[in-house]
């Protein structure tokens, strides 16, 4: 397996949606290729960072305004 | 839904407007909804369309038609090979980290950003995202992968070079004290 062959499968690999045989090939390649190892690790970290810190709560005042608008519409 | 609107509009006030429009449209359309799709997915779809409509208007106003950042179909080959995985948690303050995540996200074209937000930030499944954005599941997967690779490049460039700056070291120290 070459570097470019695994690139397209990395998201499926990280999401656990890749067949076992392909996973094994990726792991074999990554064990020998430092660049691809970094790509896999940092790609995984990228996803993890957004999952952990990417979510923003709607501000309370925006929520209040939203409820106010919707109540108004419902009453009419 | 707020996150989808916020990431697409890149403006909290406009995101709020999108949310209001979404619920108003939804209440109006509710009698015709008939449970054809999941309620949550349906609301995401209304929000997405409302956001796109506003973006289209905004673009006409500013006369800039091309999307910044990674065009679809662009070469995806990795360019950054620095391992920064240990950095963000150890050294960066949350606010600085969030700022860099937001900045990277905004460089994605909206077609990729919408998919990424629904899948990796809102946590929708591939099928739910496909239904919400009127895409095939294959298309969702392709776009998600492109989005992740592009974000990895951005974050790598950021974490491997500029950050953490001397300033943030100082900030970190004062924060710790
Ligand atoms: Zn390789």
């Amino acid at each position: 397996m070459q570097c470019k062959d695994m690139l397209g499968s990395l998201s499926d690999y990280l999401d656990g949606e890749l067949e076992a045989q392909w996973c094994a090939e990726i792991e074999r390649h990554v064990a020998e290729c430092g660049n691809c190892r970094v790509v896999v690790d940092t790609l995984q970290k990228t996803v993890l960072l957004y999952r952990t810190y990417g979510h923003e709560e709607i501000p309370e005042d925006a929520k209040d305004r939203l409820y106010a608008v919707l109540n108004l519409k419902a009453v009419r | 839904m707020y996150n989808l609107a916020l990431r697409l509009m890149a403006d909290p006030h406009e995101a709020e407007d999108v949310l209001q429009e979404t619920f108003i449209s939804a209440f109006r359309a509710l009698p015709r909804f008939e449970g054809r799709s999941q309620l949550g997915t349906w609301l995401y779809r209304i929000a997405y369309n409302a956001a796109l409509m506003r973006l289209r208007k905004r673009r006409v106003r500013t006369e800039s038609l091309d999307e910044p950042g990674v065009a679809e179909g662009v070469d995806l080959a990795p360019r950054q090979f620095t391992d920064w995985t240990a950095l963000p948690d150890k050294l960066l303050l949350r606010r600085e980290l969030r700022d860099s995540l937001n900045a990277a996200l905004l460089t994605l074209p909206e077609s990729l950003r919408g998919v990424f937000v629904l899948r990796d930030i809102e946590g929708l499944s591939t099928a739910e995202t496909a239904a919400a954005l009127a895409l095939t599941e294959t298309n969702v997967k392709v776009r998600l992968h492109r989005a992740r690779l592009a974000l990895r490049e951005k974050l790598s460039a950021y974490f491997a070079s500029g950050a953490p700056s001397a300033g943030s070291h100082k900030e970190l120290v004062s924060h710790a004290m």
Side-chain angles (χ1 to χ4, degrees):
Chain A
M1 181 186 261
Q2 306 219 313
C3 303
K4 61 176 168 53
D5 298 331
M6 53 176 273
L7 188 65
S9 310
L10 287 185
S11 275
D12 284 340
Y13 173 69
L14 293 178
D15 293 339
E17 293 176 3
L18 202 61
E19 296 144 50
Q21 197 188 331
W22 264 99
C23 292
E25 289 215 33
I26 286 179
E27 277 148 23
R28 211 163 23 240
H29 177 87
V30 161
E32 290 165 2
C33 178
N35 276 356
C36 284
R37 187 161 54 239
V38 170
V39 171
V40 172
D41 288 349
T42 50
L43 191 64
Q44 185 169 29
K45 185 73 183 182
T46 298
V47 174
L48 188 71
L49 282 176
Y50 280 100
R51 285 200 181 141
T52 313
Y53 301 108
H55 202 273
E56 284 200 31
E57 290 301 319
I58 179 166
E60 283 303 318
D61 54 338
K63 210 189 268 179
D64 291 343
R65 282 193 293 273
L66 183 63
Y67 289 145
V69 168
L70 295 178
N71 279 335
L72 215 68
K73 298 276 163 183
V75 166
R76 247 190 278 160
Chain B
M1 227 158 330
Y2 179 67
N3 278 270
L4 180 66
L6 181 67
R7 306 314 180 168
L8 286 172
M9 303 313 300
D11 178 297
H13 298 292
E14 285 210 75
E16 190 181 331
D17 290 344
V18 166
L19 226 55
Q20 289 187 4
E21 286 168 20
T22 300
F23 282 107
I24 290 166
S25 309
F27 283 152
R28 204 170 289 151
L30 205 53
R32 281 171 284 128
F33 172 61
E34 294 169 344
R36 271 185 305 255
S37 55
Q38 294 224 303
L39 188 64
T41 316
W42 178 62
L43 287 174
Y44 274 117
R45 185 153 183 179
I46 298 175
Y48 186 65
N49 287 335
L52 287 191
M53 198 85 91
R54 280 174 166 265
L55 287 170
R56 229 167 273 149
K57 275 187 208 149
R58 187 196 283 177
R59 240 175 244 130
V60 170
R61 255 195 334 261
T62 56
E63 300 274 340
S64 100
L65 286 168
D66 39 8
E67 297 185 320
V70 208
E72 282 186 77
V74 92
D75 178 24
L76 295 173
R79 286 180 181 78
Q80 303 279 347
F81 298 106
T82 312
D83 185 2
W84 48 266
T85 48
L87 255 182
D89 298 320
K90 275 192 201 153
L91 285 174
L92 291 178
L93 292 175
R94 274 193 177 197
R95 199 191 57 236
E96 188 181 351
L97 180 59
R98 278 178 197 270
D99 287 348
S100 50
L101 294 179
N102 286 341
L105 197 49
L106 287 182
T107 66
L108 292 182
E110 286 118 23
S111 57
L112 301 187
R113 214 186 305 157
V115 170
F116 183 81
V117 170
L118 291 189
R119 283 284 285 118
D120 280 345
I121 293 181
E122 299 275 273
L124 266 62
S125 71
T126 302
E128 289 166 337
T129 306
L133 305 186
L135 299 169
T136 64
E137 292 193 26
T138 307
N139 208 328
V140 167
K141 285 186 162 213
V142 169
R143 289 187 193 201
L144 177 67
H145 187 50
R146 284 178 192 281
R148 286 172 172 179
L149 286 174
L151 290 172
R152 190 202 74 88
E153 293 291 323
K154 290 282 170 194
L155 293 187
S156 296
Y158 177 73
F159 288 128
S161 62
S165 62
S168 64
H169 276 304
K170 213 183 188 177
E171 242 183 304
L172 184 70
V173 171
S174 64
H175 189 73
M177 295 190 306

